[in-house]
Amino acid sequence: MTNAVISNLGVPNATAPSNYEEANALFMQEFTGEVIAAFDEMNVFMEKHMVRTISSGKSASFAHLGKANARYHVSGTPVLGNNKIKANETVIKIDDKLIADVFIDELEEAKNHYDVRSEYSKQLGASLSREADQRIARVLALTARSANPIDDLPGGARLENANVNTDADALTEVLFNAATRFDEVDAWEGERYGAFRPAQHYLLVQSKDAINSDWNGVGSFAEGSVPRVAGIELVKSNNIPTGNVAAVAGDNNAYNGDFRTTSGLVWQKQAAGTVKLMDLMMQKTGADFEAMYQGTMMVAKYAMGHGGLNPALAIEVATGPVA
């Protein structure tokens, strides 16, 4: 009897696989792609601050420089370098490896009428994205409460308004105050961001001032979007810090604090930084494991750390003082 012609879905170009790894090559790439896509889709903060990748080591240093002062030159006098520019550094450590893992039983997968691995891959990517966003958001809030590493430059700011969670006018006023604060500390006008919870975002959508085209408001009531107020690009996020967060094992940077009155964050891109040692990647068990346990173990992981850089560029929006 003639053997059936097999279309090897997991093998590039339908070539005959010579081993287990070749037989599953495309499946692994697809799963990895789905995890990364889910991470990128859910993530709000990563691309909106400074990110550095290192090939080895346990930390990275970010330099701080103070400002220089200009002066008039007196004819005939030597120019000997009148400025003594201050310097400092911030060290961001790599946190312990963060993982999201799932075991897929072979029989259970066969019984399901939908693609289990695709759904699981999205959940793994979303879980890691959520953890990264929460830590970066907490870092921004903590940075806004910090003094500047250069002692004669301004620290962070906290804008308090008891009605900022429920009143669109109060929220708009806070955003203009934040923009004024940035101008006063000579922050670059580009890459300014604001993040608020969905309820506050939709308050702005319903504000006629925020989207009124008569004075160049931008946004769409129909689409439920307000992309920018006072030159600040707005995003909505469920990962704005909340509650009293304690430090946990594995965090090698400070992410803990009291965020019970925190309502939102406004920052410029250089306010905080992330150091990546191991970017988001996937692992899949081999043939021996799957024969022993009759299933597949999938692991998504990364190793990175987050920290504040320039407090003058971070603003915490709150309903009142730190509880």
Side-chain angles (χ1 to χ4, degrees):
M1 180 179 295
T2 304
N3 292 332
V5 176
I6 301 174
S7 296
N8 296 299
L9 300 179
V11 184
N13 298 318
T15 57
S18 59
N19 54 46
Y20 177 87
E21 285 71 24
E22 289 184 6
N24 289 274
L26 292 185
F27 291 138
M28 183 59 184
Q29 289 180 15
E30 181 178 358
F31 196 93
T32 300
E34 290 171 342
V35 170
I36 294 174
F39 183 96
D40 291 342
E41 181 181 354
M42 298 291 293
N43 193 271
V44 170
F45 292 94
M46 189 63 71
E47 66 175 13
K48 294 177 175 61
H49 75 308
M50 307 300 290
V51 178
R52 178 185 297 177
T53 300
I54 59 176
S55 58
S56 62
K58 61 181 181 180
S59 64
S61 173
F62 291 79
H64 300 274
L65 290 177
K67 292 183 177 180
N69 295 311
R71 64 190 174 93
Y72 287 111
H73 176 250
V74 177
S75 180
T77 61
V79 178
L80 301 174
N82 189 60
N83 278 292
K84 188 175 181 180
I85 299 175
K86 294 184 178 182
N88 209 331
E89 68 172 0
T90 293
V91 175
I92 299 177
K93 301 175 183 177
I94 297 295
D95 294 324
D96 290 358
K97 190 188 301 178
L98 193 67
I99 67 169
D101 53 313
V102 62
F103 177 78
I104 304 170
D105 181 84
E106 183 181 59
L107 182 59
E108 292 294 322
E109 184 180 16
K111 289 179 179 179
N112 270 292
H113 63 280
Y114 60 90
D115 183 0
V116 175
R117 298 189 186 206
S118 177
E119 293 301 317
Y120 284 175
S121 66
K122 293 176 184 177
Q123 291 302 320
L124 295 185
S127 68
L128 291 179
S129 175
R130 184 166 54 249
E131 293 293 334
D133 257 12
Q134 288 175 353
R135 282 166 174 77
I136 297 169
R138 278 182 249 147
V139 161
L140 287 168
L142 293 171
T143 304
R145 303 176 186 180
S146 303
N148 202 300
I150 304 298
D151 58 18
D152 58 359
L153 293 181
R158 182 180 173 89
L159 299 179
E160 298 175 4
N161 189 310
N163 300 315
V164 76
N165 287 338
T166 56
D167 188 330
D169 290 339
L171 184 53
T172 302
E173 179 183 351
V174 163
L175 286 167
F176 275 94
N177 289 341
T180 301
R181 161 74 180 182
F182 282 154
D183 291 344
E184 290 173 345
V185 299
D186 296 324
W188 184 48
E189 293 196 9
E191 299 176 317
R192 296 181 180 185
Y193 305 105
F196 296 91
R197 299 184 181 99
Q200 294 159 287
H201 182 85
Y202 292 122
L203 275 176
L204 288 175
V205 172
Q206 297 174 72
S207 167
K208 293 182 173 60
D209 289 345
I211 64 175
N212 194 326
S213 60
D214 288 343
W215 45 81
N216 297 321
V218 292
S220 169
F221 190 90
E223 298 295 331
S225 67
V226 179
R228 191 175 295 102
V229 170
I232 297 169
E233 181 182 331
L234 300 180
V235 293
K236 60 179 182 287
S237 173
N238 287 320
N239 295 321
I240 301 300
T242 184
N244 198 348
V245 180
V248 299
D251 284 346
N252 297 323
N253 299 282
Y255 307 119
N256 56 298
D258 191 336
F259 305 105
R260 283 176 286 180
T261 57
T262 304
S263 294
L265 301 163
V266 184
W267 72 100
Q268 204 275 340
K269 186 173 183 177
Q270 298 181 44
T274 285
V275 177
K276 293 183 177 181
L277 178 62
M278 297 170 53
D279 210 340
L280 181 62
M281 63 181 69
M282 289 295 305
Q283 283 181 314
K284 176 181 177 294
T285 51
D288 291 343
F289 178 96
E290 297 184 8
M292 180 179 294
Y293 292 100
Q294 294 297 292
T296 304
M297 178 68 73
M298 309 295 293
V299 180
K301 62 182 181 179
Y302 65 64
M304 61 180 73
H306 320 281
L309 296 180
N310 189 342
L313 304 179
I315 299 172
E316 182 181 12
V317 179
T319 55
V322 177

